[in-house]
Amino acid sequence: MKTWHEVRSLPFAVRLLLVNQLGVNTGFYLLVPYLATHLGENLGMSAAVVGVVLGVRNLSQQGLFLIGGSASDRLGARGVIIAGCALRTVGFALFALGDGLAVLLAASVLSGVAGALFNPAVRAYLAYEAGERKAETFALFNVFATTGALIGPLLGSALLVVGFRASALTAAGIFALLTVAQAAVLPARKVAPAGGSVLADWREVVGNRAFLAFAFAMVGMFTLENQLYLLLPAGARAATGWDGAAGLVLLVGTLANLALQLRITRALKSRGLRGRWIATGLAVTGLAFLPQAVMPGVGSVLAGALLLSLGLMIASPFVMELIPRFGRPELTGTYFGIFYVVSGVAAALGNTAVGWAMDAGERGGHAWLPWVCCALFGLTSAGGLAWLHRRGTLPAPAAPEREKSHV
């Protein structure tokens, strides 16, 4: 009830974007987790071709976050959000209607570009609209996103009984509804006139050493967050011999997020500077991988999933709150865009390192190796954040809110 009351007290545009994120994650996870199986088993593509199709989608998204962020600053976040939802509608529809490689590659590109557009734009819009309540708003954003990430796979598995095309068309339909909803009722905001070139904006953000240090210090969080879909499910399957055990990992994290995210953020918001809590959250994410390294078993895996979710709940809303405070409000989208470029590259490299450690551990009989590797990722990031906090390079959370007319 407290969560619902908090949602109702937020501005209308924020409430709409929370529901939008629920729909975005429902539609995404309804389709994407089953895409590789469809390409390989239903269409008979080789593993290499499947990897290309999936990789193109990821590269299109991660590589273009900066474009989406800049477009949000210069064209207005509302239009970029609508365009992103519309492009993903087309992309997911192509997955349903096309079997040829060229069509599937086009679908992957469109789906990736769509994410690159609306992800930074949504966060920029929320940052402006939330005012002094950024931390709570991004906490609720996580709750809605996590709920969608749970509903999506459940709905997708049910639709697969009918067929993959039914899943893809349903996902496309969800994004079509979101597109119409944003176009119809998301408030428009006046965009501030651009004061220079896009390249000048990028140089300004990249030249912000404090921001870049912060972004690189956060790479551990995004690497470990991805282990909810890689290492932890693999550990659960190995411990139980049951493929369905992987779903327990996501279920534990989702239930914890729904029950605790807003409570944690509200409790910590007034108890110390943000850097302290971000560093604490990162440390918890690192410690989450030690139970399985010391005492392997399904209980240790689920305890790790719970601790990882707890660490993310502590750190993530405050990370999102601080990003816009590093620079001019006119460049909020660009700051989010560059931050997500860094995090995307970090997640890709981190997953590669964890995958290598999984293989090396299996070959050498050192099952603990990937778990210790992940613990080091988290603790190293925590140390980096704590160092930035002690140096006073992080922006103060109590900085006055500035004019919001440029969304």
Side-chain angles (χ1 to χ4, degrees), residues 2 32 80 111 224 235 255 293 330 339 374-375 392 404:
K2 288 184 178 180
V32 172
V80 177
S111 300
L224 298 188
L255 293 178
E330 293 83 3
F339 184 81
C374 286
K404 300 190 292 185

Side-chain angles (χ1 to χ4, degrees), residues 151-177:
I151 295 172
L154 295 175
L155 182 57
S157 62
L159 287 169
L160 283 177
V161 175
V162 180
F164 177 82
R165 291 196 194 317
S167 296
L169 288 174
T170 302
I174 290 172
F175 277 97
L177 288 174

Side-chain angles (χ1 to χ4, degrees), residues 119-138:
N119 277 333
V122 165
R123 286 158 178 80
Y125 200 118
L126 286 174
Y128 289 127
E129 288 296 315
E132 296 288 350
R133 302 171 66 186
K134 287 184 177 65
E136 293 96 330
T137 297
F138 281 112

Side-chain angles (χ1 to χ4, degrees), residues 303-322:
L306 180 59
L307 281 174
L308 176 58
S309 298
L310 180 62
L312 294 171
M313 284 187 278
I314 293 170
S316 183
F318 297 132
V319 171
M320 296 295 105
E321 180 190 26
L322 286 189

Side-chain angles (χ1 to χ4, degrees), residues 376-395:
L376 290 175
F377 272 130
L379 295 175
T380 300
S381 275
L385 229 294
W387 181 73
L388 293 176
H389 175 62
R390 287 195 300 270
R391 284 176 56 89
T393 59
L394 302 179

Side-chain angles (χ1 to χ4, degrees), residues 17-42:
L17 290 177
L18 293 179
V19 175
N20 180 72
Q21 191 61 26
L22 173 68
V24 164
N25 274 20
T26 298
F28 181 85
Y29 286 102
L30 186 159
L31 174 70
V32 172
Y34 308 104
L35 182 57
T37 301
H38 168 68
L39 297 176
E41 296 183 3
N42 298 344

